[in-house]
Amino acid sequence: MLGFFKERRRKAVRGRPFPPAWEGILSENVPYFGRLAPEDQDELRGLVLIFLDEKRFEGCGGLDVDDEIRVTIAAQACILLLNRASDVYPDLEVVLVYPSTYVDRRPRTIEGGIVVEDGETRLGESWGRGVVVLAWDAVLRGAADVRDGHNVVLHEFAHQLDTEDGAADGAPVLPKRAAYGPWARVLGAAYDGLLRDLASGDRTVIDSYGAKNPAEFFAVVTEAFFERPRALRARHPALYEQMRDFYQQDPAELSC
């Protein structure tokens, strides 16, 4: 019953006019939007309306959150949902936005079980308690260059997808049980290949940060899939196919 009312409310939200000012923000700040087919652009607008209706934004470090910030972040996050059956990041409650690189002073445990509070500089984080944290200047940089392989919003929201099943393990919720075996084999082999390439000093399409663990591997491969799709497809065709099937998009075939 709750699902029925949610879908009815979301249908009404999708039916709202998309503000012209927001359209301008998409054109100016999210170049990927202009590469999409008209029907995908329409779907993305609807997803943005739902995202902004349901998720809170809070400014940190003195930042005042305005529509430019909200729409720019929401649009990039919703790119990952196009053409897919999704509940629009059901675990996410709030997006915290800093003006620039920030220091995470939460206690962390290092080798030997030692707890330290030295603080780490960050561009973004995805917490398991309904929170995504982003640095606004990094958001703009990541969106502006759609070919550099780096996009903090895609990265952190890939983590949100990964943890929808309760585990940050590089395996998001897949549409069929039979898909998990090929996913594990292909991504596992690509992850091992990245470790070997880095150990031997070879150049890689996938960012070295993906070697940290399978969860980070999935997040950086998501960045490469949308930002360096042709290079990823050429170097890792089986991996590209898995990502294409999951995201139901084929960015390598989009016009530049």
Side-chain angles (χ1 to χ4, degrees):
M1 182 62 72
L2 291 176
F4 169 78
F5 286 113
K6 177 191 285 187
E7 287 307 311
R8 188 169 70 173
R9 179 177 55 77
R10 285 181 171 178
K11 183 177 180 180
V13 171
R14 282 180 182 269
R16 295 173 185 170
F18 199 81
W22 293 11
E23 193 78 30
I25 293 168
L26 293 182
S27 299
E28 181 70 22
N29 289 357
V30 189
Y32 191 84
F33 175 77
R35 301 171 63 194
L36 295 172
E39 59 271 22
D40 288 337
Q41 291 181 344
D42 285 343
E43 183 182 356
L44 187 62
R45 292 185 187 98
L47 288 166
V48 168
L49 288 168
I50 291 171
F51 188 102
L52 295 180
D53 183 70
E54 297 181 354
K55 315 303 180 185
R56 291 187 294 111
F57 282 74
E58 294 183 11
C60 303
L63 181 68
D64 291 326
V65 174
D66 57 15
D67 279 354
E68 180 184 14
I69 293 173
R70 296 168 69 245
V71 172
T72 301
I73 292 172
Q76 293 178 82
C78 290
I79 286 170
L80 303 186
L81 306 181
L82 281 174
N83 304 320
R84 299 176 54 242
S86 77
D87 198 15
V88 192
Y89 302 109
D91 299 325
L92 179 66
E93 297 178 3
V94 60
V95 180
L96 306 180
V97 189
Y98 285 85
S100 59
T101 304
Y102 60 94
V103 178
D104 179 8
R105 300 192 181 280
R106 291 178 300 163
R108 61 189 180 92
T109 303
I110 62 175
E111 187 175 353
I114 301 172
V115 177
V116 297
E117 298 185 30
D118 53 352
E120 291 187 346
T121 57
R122 296 187 182 274
L123 301 178
E125 296 174 272
S126 177
W127 298 352
R129 302 184 301 278
V131 180
V132 165
V133 190
L134 298 166
W136 173 233
D137 60 351
V139 170
L140 285 175
R141 286 197 306 271
D145 190 341
V146 296
R147 299 182 182 87
D148 67 351
H150 299 289
N151 184 303
V152 67
V153 178
L154 298 183
H155 184 104
E156 301 307 338
F157 279 88
H159 282 313
Q160 285 288 306
L161 295 178
D162 184 17
T163 56
E164 283 184 5
D165 62 355
D169 56 6
V173 177
L174 301 178
K176 298 178 181 179
R177 290 187 63 183
Y180 286 94
W183 179 276
R185 287 193 298 272
V186 171
L187 270 76
Y191 178 71
D192 291 341
L194 176 63
L195 297 180
R196 289 193 300 270
D197 288 344
L198 293 174
S200 60
D202 294 338
R203 295 184 63 181
T204 64
V205 174
I206 301 167
D207 190 272
S208 61
Y209 191 65
K212 184 176 181 180
N213 55 51
E216 294 298 348
F217 183 75
F218 170 62
V220 300
V221 169
T222 293
E223 293 179 87
F225 177 72
F226 284 100
E227 297 229 330
R228 303 188 65 194
R230 292 174 183 171
L232 184 68
R233 184 176 63 180
R235 182 75 179 271
H236 303 282
L239 178 60
Y240 184 89
E241 182 179 358
Q242 287 293 318
M243 301 299 283
R244 184 190 63 202
D245 290 348
F246 174 68
Y247 283 116
Q248 291 295 293
Q249 298 180 62
D250 196 356
E253 295 302 318
L254 294 178
S255 60
C256 296

PDB file of all heavy atoms in Angstrom, residues 4-36:
ATOM      1  N   PHE A   4       2.187   1.957  -3.361  1.00  0.00           N
ATOM      2  CA  PHE A   4       1.186   2.534  -4.258  1.00  0.00           C
ATOM      3  C   PHE A   4       1.134   4.048  -4.103  1.00  0.00           C
ATOM      4  O   PHE A   4       1.135   4.795  -5.085  1.00  0.00           O
ATOM      5  CB  PHE A   4      -0.184   1.922  -3.966  1.00  0.00           C
ATOM      6  CG  PHE A   4      -1.323   2.633  -4.648  1.00  0.00           C
ATOM      7  CD1 PHE A   4      -1.582   2.433  -5.990  1.00  0.00           C
ATOM      8  CD2 PHE A   4      -2.127   3.519  -3.933  1.00  0.00           C
ATOM      9  CE1 PHE A   4      -2.629   3.099  -6.620  1.00  0.00           C
ATOM     10  CE2 PHE A   4      -3.169   4.183  -4.557  1.00  0.00           C
ATOM     11  CZ  PHE A   4      -3.424   3.973  -5.903  1.00  0.00           C
ATOM     12  N   PHE A   5       1.100   4.515  -2.853  1.00  0.00           N
ATOM     13  CA  PHE A   5       1.022   5.956  -2.620  1.00  0.00           C
ATOM     14  C   PHE A   5       2.308   6.657  -3.049  1.00  0.00           C
ATOM     15  O   PHE A   5       2.272   7.781  -3.555  1.00  0.00           O
ATOM     16  CB  PHE A   5       0.714   6.235  -1.152  1.00  0.00           C
ATOM     17  CG  PHE A   5      -0.707   5.941  -0.770  1.00  0.00           C
ATOM     18  CD1 PHE A   5      -1.006   4.908   0.101  1.00  0.00           C
ATOM     19  CD2 PHE A   5      -1.748   6.683  -1.303  1.00  0.00           C
ATOM     20  CE1 PHE A   5      -2.321   4.631   0.439  1.00  0.00           C
ATOM     21  CE2 PHE A   5      -3.068   6.419  -0.968  1.00  0.00           C
ATOM     22  CZ  PHE A   5      -3.361   5.386  -0.094  1.00  0.00           C
ATOM     23  N   LYS A   6       3.452   5.980  -2.846  1.00  0.00           N
ATOM     24  CA  LYS A   6       4.718   6.571  -3.280  1.00  0.00           C
ATOM     25  C   LYS A   6       4.734   6.759  -4.790  1.00  0.00           C
ATOM     26  O   LYS A   6       5.116   7.822  -5.294  1.00  0.00           O
ATOM     27  CB  LYS A   6       5.900   5.694  -2.854  1.00  0.00           C
ATOM     28  CG  LYS A   6       7.244   6.227  -3.337  1.00  0.00           C
ATOM     29  CD  LYS A   6       8.360   5.228  -3.130  1.00  0.00           C
ATOM     30  CE  LYS A   6       8.776   5.140  -1.690  1.00  0.00           C
ATOM     31  NZ  LYS A   6       9.994   4.287  -1.518  1.00  0.00           N
ATOM     32  N   GLU A   7       4.318   5.734  -5.519  1.00  0.00           N
ATOM     33  CA  GLU A   7       4.328   5.830  -6.974  1.00  0.00           C
ATOM     34  C   GLU A   7       3.332   6.869  -7.473  1.00  0.00           C
ATOM     35  O   GLU A   7       3.596   7.577  -8.450  1.00  0.00           O
ATOM     36  CB  GLU A   7       4.031   4.461  -7.592  1.00  0.00           C
ATOM     37  CG  GLU A   7       5.184   3.475  -7.466  1.00  0.00           C
ATOM     38  CD  GLU A   7       6.489   4.044  -8.001  1.00  0.00           C
ATOM     39  OE1 GLU A   7       6.490   4.588  -9.131  1.00  0.00           O
ATOM     40  OE2 GLU A   7       7.505   3.972  -7.288  1.00  0.00           O
ATOM     41  N   ARG A   8       2.190   6.975  -6.804  1.00  0.00           N
ATOM     42  CA  ARG A   8       1.211   7.984  -7.214  1.00  0.00           C
ATOM     43  C   ARG A   8       1.760   9.388  -6.986  1.00  0.00           C
ATOM     44  O   ARG A   8       1.594  10.280  -7.826  1.00  0.00           O
ATOM     45  CB  ARG A   8      -0.100   7.788  -6.453  1.00  0.00           C
ATOM     46  CG  ARG A   8      -1.223   8.690  -6.974  1.00  0.00           C
ATOM     47  CD  ARG A   8      -2.559   8.300  -6.411  1.00  0.00           C
ATOM     48  NE  ARG A   8      -2.670   8.605  -4.986  1.00  0.00           N
ATOM     49  CZ  ARG A   8      -3.801   8.472  -4.293  1.00  0.00           C
ATOM     50  NH1 ARG A   8      -4.889   8.002  -4.892  1.00  0.00           N
ATOM     51  NH2 ARG A   8      -3.837   8.767  -3.009  1.00  0.00           N
ATOM     52  N   ARG A   9       2.429   9.574  -5.838  1.00  0.00           N
ATOM     53  CA  ARG A   9       3.018  10.884  -5.560  1.00  0.00           C
ATOM     54  C   ARG A   9       4.132  11.198  -6.552  1.00  0.00           C
ATOM     55  O   ARG A   9       4.234  12.320  -7.056  1.00  0.00           O
ATOM     56  CB  ARG A   9       3.565  10.913  -4.130  1.00  0.00           C
ATOM     57  CG  ARG A   9       4.221  12.238  -3.754  1.00  0.00           C
ATOM     58  CD  ARG A   9       4.679  12.237  -2.313  1.00  0.00           C
ATOM     59  NE  ARG A   9       5.555  11.126  -2.020  1.00  0.00           N
ATOM     60  CZ  ARG A   9       6.842  11.080  -2.376  1.00  0.00           C
ATOM     61  NH1 ARG A   9       7.384  12.084  -3.053  1.00  0.00           N
ATOM     62  NH2 ARG A   9       7.586  10.038  -2.064  1.00  0.00           N
ATOM     63  N   ARG A  10       4.956  10.193  -6.862  1.00  0.00           N
ATOM     64  CA  ARG A  10       6.054  10.425  -7.798  1.00  0.00           C
ATOM     65  C   ARG A  10       5.540  10.724  -9.204  1.00  0.00           C
ATOM     66  O   ARG A  10       6.138  11.523  -9.930  1.00  0.00           O
ATOM     67  CB  ARG A  10       6.991   9.210  -7.821  1.00  0.00           C
ATOM     68  CG  ARG A  10       7.879   9.123  -6.590  1.00  0.00           C
ATOM     69  CD  ARG A  10       8.801   7.930  -6.642  1.00  0.00           C
ATOM     70  NE  ARG A  10       9.790   7.984  -5.572  1.00  0.00           N
ATOM     71  CZ  ARG A  10      10.698   7.044  -5.353  1.00  0.00           C
ATOM     72  NH1 ARG A  10      10.740   5.967  -6.143  1.00  0.00           N
ATOM     73  NH2 ARG A  10      11.563   7.169  -4.367  1.00  0.00           N
ATOM     74  N   LYS A  11       4.455  10.090  -9.579  1.00  0.00           N
ATOM     75  CA  LYS A  11       3.873  10.390 -10.888  1.00  0.00           C
ATOM     76  C   LYS A  11       3.449  11.848 -10.954  1.00  0.00           C
ATOM     77  O   LYS A  11       3.648  12.528 -11.972  1.00  0.00           O
ATOM     78  CB  LYS A  11       2.684   9.470 -11.157  1.00  0.00           C
ATOM     79  CG  LYS A  11       2.070   9.663 -12.536  1.00  0.00           C
ATOM     80  CD  LYS A  11       0.934   8.675 -12.775  1.00  0.00           C
ATOM     81  CE  LYS A  11       0.330   8.868 -14.161  1.00  0.00           C
ATOM     82  NZ  LYS A  11      -0.783   7.906 -14.414  1.00  0.00           N
ATOM     83  N   ALA A  12       2.879  12.340  -9.859  1.00  0.00           N
ATOM     84  CA  ALA A  12       2.477  13.746  -9.813  1.00  0.00           C
ATOM     85  C   ALA A  12       3.691  14.663  -9.866  1.00  0.00           C
ATOM     86  O   ALA A  12       3.676  15.707 -10.541  1.00  0.00           O
ATOM     87  CB  ALA A  12       1.661  14.012  -8.550  1.00  0.00           C
ATOM     88  N   VAL A  13       4.764  14.278  -9.171  1.00  0.00           N
ATOM     89  CA  VAL A  13       5.981  15.092  -9.179  1.00  0.00           C
ATOM     90  C   VAL A  13       6.576  15.140 -10.582  1.00  0.00           C
ATOM     91  O   VAL A  13       6.994  16.201 -11.066  1.00  0.00           O
ATOM     92  CB  VAL A  13       7.007  14.534  -8.169  1.00  0.00           C
ATOM     93  CG1 VAL A  13       8.357  15.237  -8.325  1.00  0.00           C
ATOM     94  CG2 VAL A  13       6.494  14.701  -6.743  1.00  0.00           C
ATOM     95  N   ARG A  14       6.620  13.994 -11.255  1.00  0.00           N
ATOM     96  CA  ARG A  14       7.146  13.952 -12.622  1.00  0.00           C
ATOM     97  C   ARG A  14       6.344  14.849 -13.566  1.00  0.00           C
ATOM     98  O   ARG A  14       6.881  15.351 -14.558  1.00  0.00           O
ATOM     99  CB  ARG A  14       7.100  12.521 -13.161  1.00  0.00           C
ATOM    100  CG  ARG A  14       8.194  11.600 -12.672  1.00  0.00           C
ATOM    101  CD  ARG A  14       8.017  10.228 -13.299  1.00  0.00           C
ATOM    102  NE  ARG A  14       8.992   9.261 -12.863  1.00  0.00           N
ATOM    103  CZ  ARG A  14      10.152   9.036 -13.460  1.00  0.00           C
ATOM    104  NH1 ARG A  14      10.475   9.728 -14.540  1.00  0.00           N
ATOM    105  NH2 ARG A  14      10.981   8.122 -13.000  1.00  0.00           N
ATOM    106  N   GLY A  15       5.078  15.021 -13.259  1.00  0.00           N
ATOM    107  CA  GLY A  15       4.224  15.820 -14.123  1.00  0.00           C
ATOM    108  C   GLY A  15       4.376  17.320 -13.946  1.00  0.00           C
ATOM    109  O   GLY A  15       3.785  18.097 -14.706  1.00  0.00           O
ATOM    110  N   ARG A  16       5.158  17.737 -12.964  1.00  0.00           N
ATOM    111  CA  ARG A  16       5.355  19.165 -12.754  1.00  0.00           C
ATOM    112  C   ARG A  16       6.187  19.764 -13.887  1.00  0.00           C
ATOM    113  O   ARG A  16       7.061  19.095 -14.444  1.00  0.00           O
ATOM    114  CB  ARG A  16       6.070  19.410 -11.421  1.00  0.00           C
ATOM    115  CG  ARG A  16       5.288  18.997 -10.194  1.00  0.00           C
ATOM    116  CD  ARG A  16       6.155  19.123  -8.949  1.00  0.00           C
ATOM    117  NE  ARG A  16       5.470  18.628  -7.758  1.00  0.00           N
ATOM    118  CZ  ARG A  16       6.068  18.447  -6.579  1.00  0.00           C
ATOM    119  NH1 ARG A  16       7.372  18.723  -6.447  1.00  0.00           N
ATOM    120  NH2 ARG A  16       5.381  17.985  -5.547  1.00  0.00           N
ATOM    121  N   PRO A  17       5.969  21.019 -14.214  1.00  0.00           N
ATOM    122  CA  PRO A  17       6.821  21.666 -15.227  1.00  0.00           C
ATOM    123  C   PRO A  17       8.265  21.736 -14.742  1.00  0.00           C
ATOM    124  O   PRO A  17       8.522  21.985 -13.563  1.00  0.00           O
ATOM    125  CB  PRO A  17       6.211  23.066 -15.356  1.00  0.00           C
ATOM    126  CG  PRO A  17       4.830  22.955 -14.793  1.00  0.00           C
ATOM    127  CD  PRO A  17       4.891  21.902 -13.730  1.00  0.00           C
ATOM    128  N   PHE A  18       9.181  21.490 -15.648  1.00  0.00           N
ATOM    129  CA  PHE A  18      10.597  21.601 -15.314  1.00  0.00           C
ATOM    130  C   PHE A  18      10.992  23.064 -15.487  1.00  0.00           C
ATOM    131  O   PHE A  18      10.908  23.612 -16.588  1.00  0.00           O
ATOM    132  CB  PHE A  18      11.432  20.713 -16.233  1.00  0.00           C
ATOM    133  CG  PHE A  18      12.805  20.412 -15.706  1.00  0.00           C
ATOM    134  CD1 PHE A  18      13.000  19.418 -14.762  1.00  0.00           C
ATOM    135  CD2 PHE A  18      13.903  21.130 -16.150  1.00  0.00           C
ATOM    136  CE1 PHE A  18      14.269  19.133 -14.273  1.00  0.00           C
ATOM    137  CE2 PHE A  18      15.173  20.859 -15.667  1.00  0.00           C
ATOM    138  CZ  PHE A  18      15.360  19.858 -14.725  1.00  0.00           C
ATOM    139  N   PRO A  19      11.420  23.734 -14.416  1.00  0.00           N
ATOM    140  CA  PRO A  19      11.683  25.177 -14.498  1.00  0.00           C
ATOM    141  C   PRO A  19      12.716  25.522 -15.571  1.00  0.00           C
ATOM    142  O   PRO A  19      13.748  24.858 -15.678  1.00  0.00           O
ATOM    143  CB  PRO A  19      12.213  25.516 -13.096  1.00  0.00           C
ATOM    144  CG  PRO A  19      11.648  24.452 -12.208  1.00  0.00           C
ATOM    145  CD  PRO A  19      11.626  23.209 -13.050  1.00  0.00           C
ATOM    146  N   PRO A  20      12.459  26.547 -16.360  1.00  0.00           N
ATOM    147  CA  PRO A  20      13.435  26.962 -17.382  1.00  0.00           C
ATOM    148  C   PRO A  20      14.814  27.259 -16.805  1.00  0.00           C
ATOM    149  O   PRO A  20      15.837  26.980 -17.451  1.00  0.00           O
ATOM    150  CB  PRO A  20      12.796  28.218 -17.982  1.00  0.00           C
ATOM    151  CG  PRO A  20      11.329  28.052 -17.741  1.00  0.00           C
ATOM    152  CD  PRO A  20      11.217  27.337 -16.422  1.00  0.00           C
ATOM    153  N   ALA A  21      14.861  27.812 -15.598  1.00  0.00           N
ATOM    154  CA  ALA A  21      16.161  28.104 -14.986  1.00  0.00           C
ATOM    155  C   ALA A  21      16.938  26.813 -14.731  1.00  0.00           C
ATOM    156  O   ALA A  21      18.168  26.779 -14.867  1.00  0.00           O
ATOM    157  CB  ALA A  21      15.973  28.873 -13.680  1.00  0.00           C
ATOM    158  N   TRP A  22      16.233  25.757 -14.364  1.00  0.00           N
ATOM    159  CA  TRP A  22      16.894  24.467 -14.151  1.00  0.00           C
ATOM    160  C   TRP A  22      17.408  23.909 -15.468  1.00  0.00           C
ATOM    161  O   TRP A  22      18.465  23.285 -15.516  1.00  0.00           O
ATOM    162  CB  TRP A  22      15.935  23.481 -13.499  1.00  0.00           C
ATOM    163  CG  TRP A  22      15.545  23.819 -12.095  1.00  0.00           C
ATOM    164  CD1 TRP A  22      15.781  24.995 -11.430  1.00  0.00           C
ATOM    165  CD2 TRP A  22      14.842  22.976 -11.185  1.00  0.00           C
ATOM    166  NE1 TRP A  22      15.263  24.938 -10.165  1.00  0.00           N
ATOM    167  CE2 TRP A  22      14.680  23.703  -9.981  1.00  0.00           C
ATOM    168  CE3 TRP A  22      14.323  21.690 -11.262  1.00  0.00           C
ATOM    169  CZ2 TRP A  22      14.026  23.181  -8.874  1.00  0.00           C
ATOM    170  CZ3 TRP A  22      13.671  21.157 -10.162  1.00  0.00           C
ATOM    171  CH2 TRP A  22      13.529  21.895  -8.978  1.00  0.00           C
ATOM    172  N   GLU A  23      16.638  24.114 -16.532  1.00  0.00           N
ATOM    173  CA  GLU A  23      17.081  23.669 -17.856  1.00  0.00           C
ATOM    174  C   GLU A  23      18.406  24.338 -18.213  1.00  0.00           C
ATOM    175  O   GLU A  23      19.316  23.709 -18.758  1.00  0.00           O
ATOM    176  CB  GLU A  23      16.023  24.013 -18.898  1.00  0.00           C
ATOM    177  CG  GLU A  23      16.212  23.335 -20.238  1.00  0.00           C
ATOM    178  CD  GLU A  23      15.751  21.890 -20.237  1.00  0.00           C
ATOM    179  OE1 GLU A  23      14.825  21.546 -19.486  1.00  0.00           O
ATOM    180  OE2 GLU A  23      16.340  21.099 -21.002  1.00  0.00           O
ATOM    181  N   GLY A  24      18.508  25.618 -17.885  1.00  0.00           N
ATOM    182  CA  GLY A  24      19.750  26.330 -18.145  1.00  0.00           C
ATOM    183  C   GLY A  24      20.907  25.788 -17.333  1.00  0.00           C
ATOM    184  O   GLY A  24      22.048  25.729 -17.818  1.00  0.00           O
ATOM    185  N   ILE A  25      20.632  25.377 -16.104  1.00  0.00           N
ATOM    186  CA  ILE A  25      21.681  24.795 -15.258  1.00  0.00           C
ATOM    187  C   ILE A  25      22.182  23.487 -15.861  1.00  0.00           C
ATOM    188  O   ILE A  25      23.389  23.226 -15.901  1.00  0.00           O
ATOM    189  CB  ILE A  25      21.148  24.576 -13.826  1.00  0.00           C
ATOM    190  CG1 ILE A  25      20.880  25.927 -13.153  1.00  0.00           C
ATOM    191  CG2 ILE A  25      22.142  23.756 -13.002  1.00  0.00           C
ATOM    192  CD1 ILE A  25      20.100  25.821 -11.854  1.00  0.00           C
ATOM    193  N   LEU A  26      21.266  22.654 -16.342  1.00  0.00           N
ATOM    194  CA  LEU A  26      21.675  21.399 -16.978  1.00  0.00           C
ATOM    195  C   LEU A  26      22.555  21.673 -18.193  1.00  0.00           C
ATOM    196  O   LEU A  26      23.589  21.026 -18.383  1.00  0.00           O
ATOM    197  CB  LEU A  26      20.447  20.594 -17.400  1.00  0.00           C
ATOM    198  CG  LEU A  26      19.552  20.029 -16.298  1.00  0.00           C
ATOM    199  CD1 LEU A  26      18.417  19.221 -16.910  1.00  0.00           C
ATOM    200  CD2 LEU A  26      20.345  19.170 -15.328  1.00  0.00           C
ATOM    201  N   SER A  27      22.148  22.617 -19.016  1.00  0.00           N
ATOM    202  CA  SER A  27      22.912  22.932 -20.228  1.00  0.00           C
ATOM    203  C   SER A  27      24.290  23.483 -19.895  1.00  0.00           C
ATOM    204  O   SER A  27      25.277  23.173 -20.571  1.00  0.00           O
ATOM    205  CB  SER A  27      22.138  23.938 -21.087  1.00  0.00           C
ATOM    206  OG  SER A  27      20.898  23.401 -21.500  1.00  0.00           O
ATOM    207  N   GLU A  28      24.367  24.282 -18.838  1.00  0.00           N
ATOM    208  CA  GLU A  28      25.621  24.944 -18.491  1.00  0.00           C
ATOM    209  C   GLU A  28      26.560  24.041 -17.699  1.00  0.00           C
ATOM    210  O   GLU A  28      27.774  24.021 -17.949  1.00  0.00           O
ATOM    211  CB  GLU A  28      25.321  26.204 -17.669  1.00  0.00           C
ATOM    212  CG  GLU A  28      26.549  26.999 -17.252  1.00  0.00           C
ATOM    213  CD  GLU A  28      27.227  27.687 -18.417  1.00  0.00           C
ATOM    214  OE1 GLU A  28      26.561  27.911 -19.446  1.00  0.00           O
ATOM    215  OE2 GLU A  28      28.430  28.004 -18.303  1.00  0.00           O
ATOM    216  N   ASN A  29      26.023  23.285 -16.754  1.00  0.00           N
ATOM    217  CA  ASN A  29      26.870  22.567 -15.798  1.00  0.00           C
ATOM    218  C   ASN A  29      26.984  21.071 -16.036  1.00  0.00           C
ATOM    219  O   ASN A  29      27.861  20.430 -15.444  1.00  0.00           O
ATOM    220  CB  ASN A  29      26.346  22.778 -14.370  1.00  0.00           C
ATOM    221  CG  ASN A  29      26.575  24.183 -13.861  1.00  0.00           C
ATOM    222  OD1 ASN A  29      27.175  25.012 -14.542  1.00  0.00           O
ATOM    223  ND2 ASN A  29      26.096  24.470 -12.663  1.00  0.00           N
ATOM    224  N   VAL A  30      26.100  20.498 -16.841  1.00  0.00           N
ATOM    225  CA  VAL A  30      26.099  19.038 -17.032  1.00  0.00           C
ATOM    226  C   VAL A  30      26.163  18.736 -18.529  1.00  0.00           C
ATOM    227  O   VAL A  30      25.145  18.414 -19.156  1.00  0.00           O
ATOM    228  CB  VAL A  30      24.845  18.388 -16.393  1.00  0.00           C
ATOM    229  CG1 VAL A  30      24.968  16.862 -16.398  1.00  0.00           C
ATOM    230  CG2 VAL A  30      24.628  18.892 -14.969  1.00  0.00           C
ATOM    231  N   PRO A  31      27.340  18.842 -19.143  1.00  0.00           N
ATOM    232  CA  PRO A  31      27.454  18.617 -20.590  1.00  0.00           C
ATOM    233  C   PRO A  31      26.944  17.252 -21.037  1.00  0.00           C
ATOM    234  O   PRO A  31      26.468  17.115 -22.170  1.00  0.00           O
ATOM    235  CB  PRO A  31      28.964  18.753 -20.844  1.00  0.00           C
ATOM    236  CG  PRO A  31      29.476  19.582 -19.719  1.00  0.00           C
ATOM    237  CD  PRO A  31      28.625  19.239 -18.540  1.00  0.00           C
ATOM    238  N   TYR A  32      27.034  16.257 -20.172  1.00  0.00           N
ATOM    239  CA  TYR A  32      26.562  14.919 -20.532  1.00  0.00           C
ATOM    240  C   TYR A  32      25.081  14.939 -20.901  1.00  0.00           C
ATOM    241  O   TYR A  32      24.636  14.164 -21.748  1.00  0.00           O
ATOM    242  CB  TYR A  32      26.803  13.958 -19.370  1.00  0.00           C
ATOM    243  CG  TYR A  32      26.594  12.495 -19.710  1.00  0.00           C
ATOM    244  CD1 TYR A  32      27.610  11.749 -20.292  1.00  0.00           C
ATOM    245  CD2 TYR A  32      25.385  11.865 -19.442  1.00  0.00           C
ATOM    246  CE1 TYR A  32      27.422  10.411 -20.607  1.00  0.00           C
ATOM    247  CE2 TYR A  32      25.185  10.530 -19.753  1.00  0.00           C
ATOM    248  CZ  TYR A  32      26.210   9.810 -20.335  1.00  0.00           C
ATOM    249  OH  TYR A  32      26.020   8.491 -20.656  1.00  0.00           O
ATOM    250  N   PHE A  33      24.330  15.840 -20.285  1.00  0.00           N
ATOM    251  CA  PHE A  33      22.897  15.949 -20.565  1.00  0.00           C
ATOM    252  C   PHE A  33      22.659  16.219 -22.049  1.00  0.00           C
ATOM    253  O   PHE A  33      21.741  15.656 -22.655  1.00  0.00           O
ATOM    254  CB  PHE A  33      22.287  17.069 -19.716  1.00  0.00           C
ATOM    255  CG  PHE A  33      20.843  17.352 -20.006  1.00  0.00           C
ATOM    256  CD1 PHE A  33      19.847  16.515 -19.535  1.00  0.00           C
ATOM    257  CD2 PHE A  33      20.474  18.469 -20.748  1.00  0.00           C
ATOM    258  CE1 PHE A  33      18.504  16.773 -19.802  1.00  0.00           C
ATOM    259  CE2 PHE A  33      19.141  18.734 -21.013  1.00  0.00           C
ATOM    260  CZ  PHE A  33      18.155  17.884 -20.540  1.00  0.00           C
ATOM    261  N   GLY A  34      23.477  17.063 -22.646  1.00  0.00           N
ATOM    262  CA  GLY A  34      23.301  17.412 -24.047  1.00  0.00           C
ATOM    263  C   GLY A  34      23.610  16.284 -25.007  1.00  0.00           C
ATOM    264  O   GLY A  34      23.214  16.342 -26.178  1.00  0.00           O
ATOM    265  N   ARG A  35      24.300  15.250 -24.547  1.00  0.00           N
ATOM    266  CA  ARG A  35      24.643  14.115 -25.398  1.00  0.00           C
ATOM    267  C   ARG A  35      23.549  13.054 -25.403  1.00  0.00           C
ATOM    268  O   ARG A  35      23.581  12.139 -26.226  1.00  0.00           O
ATOM    269  CB  ARG A  35      25.961  13.495 -24.930  1.00  0.00           C
ATOM    270  CG  ARG A  35      27.142  14.459 -24.947  1.00  0.00           C
ATOM    271  CD  ARG A  35      28.365  13.855 -24.275  1.00  0.00           C
ATOM    272  NE  ARG A  35      28.841  12.684 -24.970  1.00  0.00           N
ATOM    273  CZ  ARG A  35      29.713  11.807 -24.460  1.00  0.00           C
ATOM    274  NH1 ARG A  35      30.165  11.980 -23.227  1.00  0.00           N
ATOM    275  NH2 ARG A  35      30.105  10.763 -25.156  1.00  0.00           N
ATOM    276  N   LEU A  36      22.598  13.174 -24.490  1.00  0.00           N
ATOM    277  CA  LEU A  36      21.553  12.166 -24.368  1.00  0.00           C
ATOM    278  C   LEU A  36      20.488  12.332 -25.447  1.00  0.00           C
ATOM    279  O   LEU A  36      20.242  13.441 -25.936  1.00  0.00           O
ATOM    280  CB  LEU A  36      20.888  12.261 -22.994  1.00  0.00           C
ATOM    281  CG  LEU A  36      21.767  11.950 -21.778  1.00  0.00           C
ATOM    282  CD1 LEU A  36      21.013  12.278 -20.495  1.00  0.00           C
ATOM    283  CD2 LEU A  36      22.198  10.486 -21.786  1.00  0.00           C
TER     284      LEU A  36
END
